[in-house]
Amino acid sequence: MAAAVVEDLQGNRKIVIGTSELRGYLRPGVKSAIKTGETVIPGNGHAEADIIGWAITNNYKVIAVAAGRPVCDNCVQVIERANGIVASPKKSSPRS
């Protein structure tokens, strides 16, 4: 799972929650914590990348993205290309 702060063209900010669970499934504890105005993005892969794709498609500027686990290198690159801040730990690259 991941969450992001995004901003529309008028400067209004909102929270977007991404899940990589099949068909956008949210566990009961998570589902009950979603607040009015927050948007859940169903996943097709990594929640962070899905959020960025949704933001770009819907003309939102990405401010910051955080995840429940360290963010993989690919998602870090996707977030940074969208000029967003990676607001949680990054996954360590394997040592050779």
Side-chain angles (χ1 to χ4, degrees):
M1 290 199 68
V5 177
V6 297
E7 186 175 270
D8 68 16
L9 298 173
Q10 291 75 38
N12 301 306
R13 290 188 177 189
K14 71 181 292 168
I15 303 295
V16 179
I17 295 130
T19 175
S20 57
E21 297 279 354
L22 188 60
R23 293 183 299 278
Y25 173 77
L26 294 174
R27 295 173 188 188
V30 174
K31 192 171 188 175
S32 66
I34 304 294
K35 295 180 173 69
T36 302
E38 295 179 342
T39 301
V40 177
I41 307 301
N44 293 316
H46 291 212
E48 304 93 328
D50 289 337
I51 288 171
I52 300 301
W54 178 90
I56 291 168
T57 298
N58 291 282
N59 295 314
Y60 280 89
K61 175 182 173 186
V62 177
I63 305 300
V65 180
R69 296 183 180 172
V71 181
C72 73
D73 291 337
N74 289 338
C75 288
V76 167
Q77 291 176 23
V78 168
I79 295 166
E80 290 177 346
R81 275 196 305 263
N83 296 315
I85 296 168
V86 179
S88 59
K90 298 174 186 174
K91 190 173 187 177
S92 299
S93 298
R95 295 181 186 193
S96 49

